[in-house]
Amino acid sequence: MALLNTLSKHDDYMTPKSVWENINNYIPKDKVIWEAFYGNGQSGKYLEELGCKEVIHKPIDFFENDCGEAVISNPPFSLCKTIMPRLKELNKPFILIMPVSKMNTVYMRENFMNELQVIIPRRRINFDKMVNGEIVENTNCANFDCYYYCYKMNLPRDLVWL
């Protein structure tokens, strides 16, 4: 499979540093982190700035590679139906930022029923919007809610409210 271009009209929202700062206490600093979806290339840098010992963040194909000890990422939402079975196959801890609506999908149930924990942010996430490869000024939050979906992260509770 060729390197996936995830920058499209639906997948061109990048993760600002504040999104990782919100859950910094839950990000495992002692594991090699794979920020598996490259986007604009900044998210891996943010995780390093927050104290992760090693972050792998390269523009490589998620479906053809297996890196790190845990996946921490904001995946392209349009590919979640194929991403979730791949994550189940990899069977490594993860934290993914995804819309709340993903919880009700068949592919989430088939792959992670009764295995996920969720971190609920205080407010809607304000992603950085990319247009033609550049971040554009965006003062509005997303028009949908997102959770941090967690697998094998050993959170103190199944639902963690920030």
Side-chain angles (χ1 to χ4, degrees):
M1 177 180 263
L3 177 65
L4 296 171
N5 178 4
T6 60
L7 296 179
S8 71
K9 66 180 182 174
H10 301 294
D11 294 327
D12 56 358
Y13 293 90
M14 303 300 114
T15 313
K17 187 175 182 180
S18 62
V19 172
W20 298 132
E21 289 172 331
N22 290 340
I23 62 162
N24 192 29
N25 293 338
Y26 301 107
I27 297 172
K29 308 298 189 303
D30 61 335
K31 294 190 180 303
V32 177
I33 303 298
W34 183 20
E35 211 305 13
F37 300 97
Y38 194 72
N40 67 350
Q42 295 300 302
S43 189
K45 181 182 87 169
Y46 300 150
L47 291 167
E48 287 175 347
E49 290 173 0
L50 292 172
C52 294
K53 75 172 185 175
E54 184 179 346
V55 178
I56 299 166
H57 192 217
K58 301 183 262 185
I60 59 175
D61 190 326
F62 168 75
F63 298 98
E64 292 185 0
N65 292 279
D66 180 1
C67 303
E69 300 170 276
V71 175
I72 311 289
S73 194
N74 171 15
F77 300 157
S78 69
L79 298 178
C80 287
K81 187 174 184 174
T82 54
I83 290 169
M84 300 318 291
R86 172 69 174 146
L87 282 169
K88 186 65 173 185
E89 175 187 314
L90 294 174
N91 197 34
K92 59 181 70 183
F94 66 73
I95 299 175
L96 297 180
I97 304 164
M98 296 187 300
V100 170
S101 61
K102 298 298 181 188
M103 184 67 78
N104 293 325
T105 61
V106 171
Y107 55 85
M108 288 293 276
R109 290 174 191 263
E110 287 177 348
N111 291 287
F112 294 103
M113 183 183 279
N114 299 320
E115 295 184 85
L116 291 179
Q117 294 181 302
V118 175
I119 301 173
I120 302 170
R122 291 181 187 269
R123 60 187 60 88
R124 283 188 175 164
I125 292 174
N126 187 15
F127 295 99
D128 291 334
K129 172 82 171 144
M130 297 243 340
V131 175
N132 297 321
E134 299 290 328
I135 300 286
V136 296
E137 184 69 27
N138 183 11
T139 57
N140 298 324
C141 289
N143 62 356
F144 53 89
D145 291 307
C146 286
Y147 290 159
Y148 300 89
Y149 293 85
C150 305
Y151 176 69
K152 293 187 173 185
M153 295 305 297
N154 300 315
L155 300 178
R157 295 174 303 289
D158 287 341
L159 284 177
V160 174
W161 299 77
L162 297 180

